[in-house]
Amino acid sequence: MTDVAPANAPVQIKPKSRPPLVVEYGGPTYTLTGRIPSEIMTIQAQSKAPRNPAKDAQDAYKREVGIAVIDKFYDLVVPDDFKAVLDMEDLAPVFEAWSGHVGLGESKDSGN
């Protein structure tokens, strides 16, 4: 006899758990969440890709999506106390460190 869960049994899903990222910036440290906000994940889906296959049109699209992702990152991930001291020229390296930490943009099928 096999154990079969009742039809109305809940599906158990283990949450993805990434520790927060601690960033040292000019001496003090700031903590960025290890969670990827859904708003960041949906930006590309919400942006209409150009039908024009020309390289300049594709590059412009990628640039617009990249700007939108970094804008949402700044709004949703960077804590207010960090925003108060963060120079915008340093935002890109902070984003790169965080996106690498959380695995943003990594293919889930790249285990080969």
Side-chain angles (χ1 to χ4, degrees):
M1 188 163 173
T2 60
D3 289 333
V4 178
N8 60 350
V11 174
Q12 293 183 0
I13 299 173
K14 184 179 179 191
K16 182 74 174 176
S17 177
R18 290 177 295 275
L21 176 67
V22 178
V23 176
E24 182 180 337
Y25 183 77
T29 59
Y30 303 92
T31 303
L32 281 62
T33 181
R35 181 184 153 281
I36 302 172
S38 60
E39 295 89 342
I40 288 177
M41 297 299 293
T42 59
I43 287 173
Q44 190 167 7
Q46 294 172 348
S47 301
K48 191 169 185 168
R51 292 181 172 252
N52 182 350
K55 184 174 178 0
D56 59 337
Q58 296 297 325
D59 288 346
Y61 167 73
K62 289 178 185 175
R63 199 169 31 258
E64 286 176 26
V65 168
I67 289 168
V69 167
I70 289 179
D71 183 52
K72 282 293 180 192
F73 163 76
Y74 182 78
D75 286 345
L76 301 173
V77 177
V78 177
D80 289 338
D81 59 340
F82 194 10
K83 287 177 184 174
V85 298
L86 181 62
D87 187 294
M88 288 297 99
E89 288 196 15
D90 297 328
L91 183 59
V94 172
F95 174 76
E96 288 171 18
W98 176 81
S99 63
H101 177 74
V102 299
L104 187 65
E106 290 179 0
S107 171
K108 302 299 178 212
D109 299 328
S110 63
N112 303 17

